[in-house]
């Protein structure tokens, strides 16, 4: 009822009561009072940025995993985060939200980001360990160029999990020339103790890959210039970030240089870095190095092709040292490709959402349509079942690999960059291999933690606010035995190093060699030959400079479906 109608009825009621109380029948000419004007609704004086900031906090109060620890809006003051630079303001607000919930085990926020240097860890209070916000346009079709040497910028980049990238397609590592025996002085303009570049990672299907660039290549020139790490880091960074590059490599075995020219392009990458199978004595060891848990159309064909090559394997090595995660559904497919048929129907993992979501009280989700690979669906996130029972995934055997259960243990090569969906895969497999799941750590430098993986048992789904996509911690995953909570990371069993002299899957590469020795029980095993000619020089992991790291992903992205 409008205020005007209410006032009018009240006025006539008052007239009726007064008339009944008169002592005589003297006619009275009623005077109808003018109705009071309907009060004006205060104009929304909030800026666009403030409205987004307010919405972000309201969503956090309903869907953030630790929402019970958040204060009310009056205390938090979300409008104070509405800044002229919308994205910076929202990032600051999200960071503030993630600083509130405290892990009683550590006494620090659950989302406390840590840095590691020379055996010591320290708090980083300028970024969250899990939650982040990014422009939606950067999430699809290779929206961001990933080749960059500035590590502060690398932290901001997110891989497009649709399997698209827009880049040159490789990253660099650096080491002192004095540790590269056999490398001629002519390769640099500085003395032998200068630092020289090596190719660390090349994405299959990228311009660099197609041009012939491979992991372990010694880089002697950028765009025809001999550049040193000590004197020309800016020029090296600019070269790596350019739209095209002429990269000159040097082979110390042949003492020849080779120049490869290529340009940045949008391309579909193969998430499998390398797959191979080697025989060592009675052991047939299958090896697969995997880049990211991309969307199913990109991941599933690549994994099927790889596992089809592993017929007769007795042991399995999975290299996730550069894998920061991705889609939960793809990690599930990976696990189903490994587990035996006898595991069918068993619990693979469970997802635990907060009580508000489980009780269907997160009503703001009615405003959030589900997007699957950026395609809007006909239902909203409110229509999803967030109960534990509704988010318990069971084993559904995929393919013919290990159908009979001949694989009784699995060996993972990991690093402190191994995160999220990668850790979900490892944790989910443990109960099915009687904990015969071994982790071999391959740190790249003294800024990598050699004892643990990243530590992200937390996942999320996409929430859109304006032109931004927000991924705030939504659920925690646990395996069949309810094991989870690895906020510090998964403890590694064997320490090795990221030996970038050799390609991934080469038995001479230190981490793969450590896996082979563990599998065979022969701690002195050495391959009789290497597949590359760069064995003429040696390298020590502790001298590699922490520059040119692969882009960090750290995603466990759920695409909730109506059950």
């Amino acid at each position: 009822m409008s205020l005007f109608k209410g006032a009018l009825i009240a006025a006539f009621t008052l007239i009726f009561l007064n008339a009944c109380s008169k002592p005589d029948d003297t006619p009275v000419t009623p005077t109808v009072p003018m109705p009071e004007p309907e009060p004006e609704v205060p104009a929304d004086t909030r800026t666009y940025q403030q409205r987004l900031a307010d919405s972000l906090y309201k969503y956090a109060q309903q869907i953030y995993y630790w929402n019970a620890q958040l204060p009310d809006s009056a205390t938090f003051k979300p409008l104070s985060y509405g800044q002229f630079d919308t994205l910076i303001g929202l990032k600051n607000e999200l960071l503030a939200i993630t600083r509130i919930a405290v892990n009683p085990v550590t006494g620090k926020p659950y989302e406390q980001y840590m840095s590691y240097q020379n055996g010591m860890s320290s708090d980083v209070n300028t970024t969250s360990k899990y939650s982040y916000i990014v422009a939606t346009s950067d999430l699809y079709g290779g929206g961001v160029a990933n080749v960059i040497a500035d590590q502060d910028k690398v932290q901001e980049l997110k891989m497009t999990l649709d399997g698209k990238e827009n880049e040159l397609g490789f990253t660099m590592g650096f080491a002192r020339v004095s540790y590269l025996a056999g490398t001629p002085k002519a390769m640099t303009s500085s003395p032998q103790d200068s630092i020289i570049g090596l190719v660390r990672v090349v994405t299959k299907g990228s311009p660099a890959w197609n041009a012939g660039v491979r992991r372990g290549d010694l880089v002697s020139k950028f765009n025809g210039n001999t550049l040193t790490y000590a004197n020309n880091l800016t020029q090296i960074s600019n070269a790596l970030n350019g739209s095209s590059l002429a990269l000159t490599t040097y082979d110390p075995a042949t003492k020849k240089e080779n120049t490869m020219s290529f340009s940045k392009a949008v391309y579909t990458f193969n998430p499998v870095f390398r797959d191979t199978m080697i025989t060592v004595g009675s052991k047939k060891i299958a090896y697969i190095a995997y880049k990211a848990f991309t969307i199913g159309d990109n991941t599933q064909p690549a994994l099927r092709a790889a596992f089809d090559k592993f017929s007769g394997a007795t042991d399995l090595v999975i290299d996730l040292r550069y894998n920061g995660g991705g889609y939960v559904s793809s990690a599930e497919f990976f696990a189903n490709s490994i587990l035996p048929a006898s595991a069918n129907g068993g619990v693979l993992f469970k997802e635990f959402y907060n009580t508000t979501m489980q009780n269907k009280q997160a009503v703001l989700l009615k405003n959030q349509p589900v997007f699957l690979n950026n395609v809007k669906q006909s239902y909203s996130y409110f229509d999803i079942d967030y109960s534990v029972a509704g988010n318990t995934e069971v084993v559904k055997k995929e393919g013919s690999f290990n159908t009979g259960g001949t694989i009784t243990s699995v060996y993972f090569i990991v690093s402190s960059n191994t995160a999220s969906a990668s850790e979900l895969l490892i944790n989910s497999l443990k109960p099915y291999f009687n904990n015969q799941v071994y982790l071999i750590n391959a740190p790249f430098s003294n800024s990598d933690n050699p004892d643990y993986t990243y530590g992200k048992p937390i996942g999320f789904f996409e929430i859109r606010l304006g032109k931004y996509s927000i991924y705030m911690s939504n659920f925690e995953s646990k395996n069949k035995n309810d094991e989870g909570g690895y906020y510090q990371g998964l403890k590694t069993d064997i320490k090795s190093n990221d030996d970038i002299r050799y390609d991934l899957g080469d038995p001479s590469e230190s981490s793969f060699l450590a896996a082979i020795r563990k599998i065979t029980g022969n701690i002195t095993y050495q391959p009789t030959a290497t597949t590359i000619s760069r064995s003429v020089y040696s390298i020590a992991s502790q001298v590699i400079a922490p520059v040119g790291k692969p882009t960090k992903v750290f995603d466990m992205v759920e695409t909730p479906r109506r059950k």
Side-chain angles (χ1 to χ4, degrees):
M1 179 185 299
S2 70
L3 293 179
F4 177 80
K5 290 181 179 179
L8 204 58
I9 292 173
F12 281 122
T13 302
L14 179 62
I15 293 168
F16 176 78
L17 291 176
N18 287 339
C20 291
S21 63
K22 290 292 180 182
D24 54 38
D25 295 325
T26 305
V28 177
T29 302
T31 302
V32 180
M34 294 295 293
E36 294 183 8
E38 187 172 343
E40 294 184 3
V41 177
D44 190 345
T45 59
R46 299 175 302 171
T47 65
Y48 171 73
Q49 291 85 353
Q50 287 177 324
R51 291 198 297 274
L52 287 185
D54 189 45
S55 295
L56 173 58
Y57 195 66
K58 283 181 167 61
Y59 274 108
Q61 289 177 309
Q62 295 189 9
I63 70 173
Y64 189 54
Y65 185 58
W66 298 285
N67 67 335
Q69 295 191 39
L70 299 182
D72 58 28
S73 292
T75 302
F76 183 79
K77 297 179 174 57
L79 298 188
S80 65
Y81 293 95
Q83 299 183 15
F84 178 77
D85 190 316
T86 308
L87 185 57
I88 289 179
L90 292 176
K91 284 183 176 181
N92 290 338
E93 180 181 11
L94 188 59
L95 174 61
I97 291 171
T98 63
R99 302 290 301 167
I100 296 171
V102 173
N103 185 342
V105 176
T106 64
K108 298 179 179 181
Y110 283 98
E111 298 211 41
Q112 178 67 58
Y113 191 86
M114 307 288 291
S115 68
Y116 188 89
Q117 192 74 30
N118 298 320
M120 300 293 293
S121 61
S122 58
D123 294 347
V124 177
N125 299 320
T126 56
T127 188
S128 302
K129 188 173 184 179
Y130 309 135
S131 302
Y132 68 90
I133 180 172
V134 65
T136 303
S137 59
D138 286 345
L139 290 172
Y140 304 97
V144 181
N146 295 24
V147 179
I148 196 165
D150 184 336
Q151 293 306 288
D152 292 333
K153 293 181 180 178
V154 166
Q155 298 294 333
E156 298 297 320
L157 300 178
K158 297 292 171 184
M159 184 183 297
T160 54
L161 293 175
D162 55 359
K164 302 284 187 181
E165 289 187 342
N166 177 19
E167 57 173 344
L168 295 173
F170 76 105
T171 59
M172 295 285 298
F174 293 86
R176 294 190 181 280
V177 177
S178 57
Y179 282 83
L180 304 177
T183 301
K185 294 182 180 180
M187 287 190 63
T188 69
S189 58
S190 300
Q192 280 286 87
D193 61 354
S194 65
I195 295 177
I196 195 169
L198 300 94
V199 174
R200 187 183 184 197
V201 184
V202 188
T203 300
K204 191 181 294 184
S206 68
W209 175 273
N210 293 336
V213 180
R214 295 295 182 266
R215 171 182 160 99
D217 283 346
L218 288 166
V219 178
S220 57
K221 296 176 182 177
F222 298 89
N223 293 326
N225 300 312
T226 300
L227 303 175
T228 65
Y229 174 86
N231 302 321
N232 309 106
L233 188 56
T234 298
Q235 291 91 326
I236 291 173
S237 176
N238 290 340
L240 293 175
N241 285 295
S243 59
S244 61
L245 177 66
L247 190 73
T248 302
T249 60
Y250 178 86
D251 188 338
T254 63
K255 298 183 179 180
K256 292 182 179 180
E257 287 186 328
N258 178 39
T259 298
M260 295 162 281
S261 298
F262 46 96
S263 299
K264 182 187 295 184
V266 177
Y267 61 92
T268 300
F269 64 83
N270 187 330
V272 176
F273 279 127
R274 178 88 190 276
D275 56 76
T276 187
M277 189 160 70
I278 66 170
T279 300
V280 182
S282 62
K283 297 290 188 178
K284 290 186 176 182
I285 304 171
Y287 169 95
I288 179 171
Y290 194 65
K291 176 182 174 73
F293 293 96
T294 53
I295 197 163
D297 290 346
N298 183 252
T299 278
Q300 293 183 15
L303 287 180
R304 286 193 183 103
F307 280 105
D308 284 347
K309 300 175 184 177
F310 296 158
S311 177
T314 59
D315 298 271
L316 177 63
V317 178
I318 303 173
D319 195 336
L320 301 176
R321 73 183 80 183
Y322 301 135
N323 192 314
Y327 284 110
V328 171
S329 56
S330 293
E332 182 182 352
F333 183 88
F334 204 127
N336 286 326
S337 300
I338 297 168
L339 289 168
S342 60
N344 270 330
V347 172
L348 186 59
F349 60 83
K350 310 170 188 176
E351 294 172 351
F352 294 80
Y353 290 84
N354 67 36
T355 302
T356 306
M357 296 181 72
Q358 291 192 46
N359 291 340
K360 298 290 289 184
Q361 295 173 324
V363 294
L364 283 178
L365 290 178
K366 293 180 180 180
N367 303 320
Q368 287 290 328
V370 173
F371 285 84
L372 298 180
N373 196 25
N374 207 25
V375 177
K376 185 178 179 180
Q377 305 299 299
S378 61
Y379 57 98
S380 73
Y381 279 108
F382 186 76
D383 299 318
I384 307 300
D385 178 6
Y386 294 106
S387 67
V388 177
N391 290 276
T392 297
E393 302 297 340
V394 299
V395 178
K396 300 172 185 176
K397 177 59 186 168
E398 172 64 38
S400 59
F401 176 77
N402 195 34
T403 298
T406 55
I407 304 292
T408 58
S409 56
V410 182
Y411 303 80
F412 285 94
I413 298 175
V414 299
S415 71
S416 55
N417 291 319
T418 302
S420 214
S422 286
E423 293 170 310
L424 170 68
L425 173 64
I426 296 169
N427 193 50
S428 297
L429 291 181
K430 282 185 174 182
Y432 289 97
F433 290 95
N434 297 317
N435 288 320
Q436 298 299 300
V437 174
Y438 300 98
L439 274 61
I440 300 161
N441 204 314
F444 175 59
S445 71
N446 55 13
S447 64
D448 289 340
N449 190 336
D451 298 313
Y452 291 93
T453 59
Y454 185 73
K456 187 176 183 292
I458 291 296
F460 34 50
F461 53 82
E462 180 186 9
I463 292 294
R464 297 191 178 187
L465 286 181
K467 61 181 180 181
Y468 305 104
S469 292
I470 296 157
Y471 292 89
M472 67 173 72
S473 299
N474 293 129
F475 65 87
E476 180 176 2
S477 68
K478 297 181 181 180
N479 66 15
K480 175 183 178 180
N481 296 338
D482 286 327
E483 295 165 330
Y486 41 87
Y487 293 99
Q488 184 179 2
L490 296 171
K491 187 76 170 64
T492 56
D493 304 293
I494 301 170
K495 296 178 184 178
S496 183
N497 68 282
D498 187 9
D499 188 354
I500 57 178
R501 294 175 299 166
Y502 302 101
D503 200 358
L504 298 172
D506 190 306
S508 294
E509 193 275 322
S510 294
S511 298
F512 189 25
L513 178 60
I516 295 170
R517 289 174 173 175
K518 179 69 174 177
I519 290 168
T520 61
N522 182 358
I523 61 173
T524 62
Y525 168 78
Q526 288 289 345
T528 56
T530 179
T531 58
I532 62 174
S533 60
R534 287 182 289 271
S535 60
V536 295
Y537 63 85
S538 60
I539 195 167
S541 63
Q542 66 269 23
V543 303
I544 301 178
V547 177
K549 292 185 176 182
T551 302
K552 295 183 177 181
V553 182
F554 305 153
D555 279 349
M556 184 155 61
V557 181
E558 182 59 283
T559 51
R561 302 168 299 279
R562 288 183 292 186
K563 303 292 183 179

